[in-house]
Amino acid sequence: MPGEYEPHRGCVMIWPVRPGSWPYGAAKAQKTFAQIARAIAESERVWMLAAKEDANQVRAEFSADPDIQVLEIRTDDAWARDVGPTCVVNEAGQVRGIDWQFNAWGGEYDGLYAHWEQDDLAAFRICRALELDCYDARPFVLEGGSIHSDGQGTLLVTEACLLSRGRNPQLTKGEIEKTLKQYLGAEKVIWLPRGIYQDETNEHVDNVCAFVRPGEVVLAWTDDQSDPQWELSHASLEVLEQERDAKGRNITVHKLPIPRKPVCITEEELAGFSFEEGEEIRSAGERLAASYVNFYIANGSVIVPQFVDENDKPAAEILGNLFPERKIVPVYARPVIVGGGNIHCITQQIP
């Protein structure tokens, strides 16, 4: 599995429409997705998935953007990294996708919605549309946002997610690690204890810690010991300071601040949702899993979430120093995290 900072063909996104995820007809979310897609398309191809009944609208939206191609593939929601294929590359540069089983982040145990059949078919359909060979990893349950690779044999994961009872409860930690190594060509798995506080995905790693190059990571951080995130991030820091990567290197940790002020969902936003039976119900004042770690690394830029917070600029500056060869593109991300996810998980890279 390559590192996300390696050159790649492009990425997959999914046009947001689900009423239980995107309030008020997804108008703000669609505007933000379009902004992100256009920023990414400046340096790579974007394949935007849409259901047949939405495809003409999406084609019209991007009619002036030749590097954004619409694929008619139906999904249940818009989290491309989690439902799309995880791509691996061999020494000859040949790419294959991996089709994990998807169960809406927990299935009947603690999944976020009751019907995920179309999401579960998405990885295979994407591989077919892009003419990629595909490994069938079923019945192993995994989302793309729950793994992060340095491209040199090291994976980051969280225990909170991968050991969740809603994923693969029949497997031991060792068996889960063996499966990851087998499919992803990894030699070392670093298990962080926790992710971002209140992350509905059971704390995906992509929201809390990410490689910026081999041997170096960013870690979501706060110095406020009264914030519940402090304990979670501190536990991960202790692990990272003691671990070595697959090549035997110590890991350099760059602390990336979380927003200083918690980002919470409002009653006005809540009024715009339409929840289905079996779908997780949100509540006003609920803290959202806002983090600057969920940036997207395009070939020529880094898309960085912003929250109208005093830490927006410092976070963008830190990432600018870590990616001096790329343009930093700040994007107001509230319309995305109100949907329960993050910028990172609305994209999935295709090498």
Side-chain angles (χ1 to χ4, degrees):
M1 180 181 177
E4 295 185 8
Y5 32 72
E6 297 184 48
H8 48 276
R9 293 170 59 194
C11 73
V12 172
M13 297 180 65
I14 303 173
W15 193 244
V17 295
R18 185 181 179 88
S21 295
W22 312 104
Y24 300 106
K28 289 183 178 180
Q30 290 173 1
K31 182 178 179 180
T32 302
F33 274 52
Q35 179 187 2
I36 292 169
R38 290 189 175 101
I40 294 172
E42 290 181 6
S43 61
E44 64 188 67
R45 172 64 60 88
V46 176
W47 293 278
M48 184 70 71
L49 274 56
K52 184 176 182 179
E53 61 267 25
D54 300 314
N56 286 339
Q57 173 203 346
V58 183
R59 289 192 185 97
E61 173 69 36
F62 297 113
S63 60
D65 302 284
D67 288 317
I68 302 176
Q69 178 183 346
V70 178
L71 299 179
E72 287 190 20
I73 296 177
R74 181 180 298 278
T75 58
D76 296 295
D77 208 344
W79 308 113
R81 186 171 302 271
D82 285 354
V83 306
T86 299
C87 289
V88 291
V89 186
N90 67 13
E91 293 179 357
Q94 296 170 314
V95 179
R96 282 188 177 178
I98 302 172
D99 181 8
W100 314 103
Q101 185 165 323
F102 178 79
N103 70 354
W105 308 276
E108 295 182 2
Y109 178 70
D110 60 353
L112 299 184
Y113 40 81
H115 300 286
W116 54 81
E117 294 84 2
Q118 300 303 317
D119 279 349
D120 193 31
L121 293 170
F124 174 76
R125 290 171 171 171
I126 292 168
C127 286
R128 183 172 57 186
L130 301 184
E131 299 182 339
L132 295 176
D133 288 337
C134 187
Y135 290 115
D136 184 356
R138 298 161 183 277
F140 191 80
V141 176
L142 192 80
E143 307 92 38
S146 68
I147 51 177
H148 206 277
S149 172
D150 70 347
Q152 296 186 3
T154 311
L155 294 178
L156 290 171
V157 303
T158 67
E159 292 177 342
C161 178
L162 267 64
L163 302 184
S164 162
R165 289 176 59 190
R167 301 305 199 286
N168 300 288
Q170 75 282 8
L171 300 180
T172 65
K173 181 178 179 180
E175 288 169 334
I176 291 171
E177 181 169 316
K178 181 179 179 181
T179 301
L180 294 176
K181 289 179 176 179
Q182 175 187 358
Y183 277 102
L184 301 173
E187 301 166 19
K188 178 70 176 285
V189 179
I190 297 176
W191 292 81
L192 304 181
R194 300 291 300 274
I196 288 291
Y197 178 69
Q198 292 284 80
D199 190 335
E200 295 176 316
T201 65
N202 299 112
E203 303 174 20
H204 272 182
V205 74
D206 71 344
N207 212 18
V208 71
C209 189
F211 285 107
V212 294
R213 61 182 58 86
E216 295 186 41
V217 302
V218 289
L219 175 66
W221 190 260
T222 177
D223 290 319
D224 181 1
Q225 295 189 27
S226 67
D227 190 303
Q229 185 59 42
W230 184 87
E231 184 176 355
L232 276 59
S233 293
H234 194 268
S236 290
L237 179 63
E238 289 184 344
V239 170
L240 291 165
E241 288 179 335
Q242 296 172 15
E243 283 281 9
R244 292 178 180 267
D245 67 13
K247 303 300 182 185
R249 293 172 293 219
N250 292 323
I251 297 171
T252 300
V253 179
H254 303 278
K255 295 176 180 176
L256 194 62
I258 62 172
R260 183 172 293 275
K261 184 179 180 181
V263 181
C264 302
I265 196 166
T266 66
E267 290 202 16
E268 180 184 0
E269 289 166 333
L270 198 64
F273 290 102
S274 178
F275 298 110
E276 295 180 350
E277 183 178 352
E279 191 166 5
E280 185 180 61
I281 304 299
R282 319 289 291 279
S283 56
E286 173 185 317
R287 178 166 167 168
L288 301 173
S291 167
Y292 301 106
V293 174
N294 63 66
F295 51 83
Y296 176 77
I297 308 172
N299 282 331
S301 62
V302 180
I303 314 302
V304 181
Q306 304 279 272
F307 305 102
V308 190
D309 185 89
E310 62 182 275
N311 280 340
D312 283 1
K313 185 176 179 181
E317 289 176 346
I318 290 170
L319 290 171
N321 291 331
L322 292 171
F323 294 100
E325 74 287 359
R326 288 176 166 91
K327 178 174 68 173
I328 298 300
V329 181
V331 173
Y332 180 55
R334 186 179 184 93
V336 176
I337 66 167
V338 162
N342 56 61
I343 284 177
H344 197 257
C345 259
I346 68 173
T347 58
Q348 175 62 310
Q349 288 184 354
I350 305 296

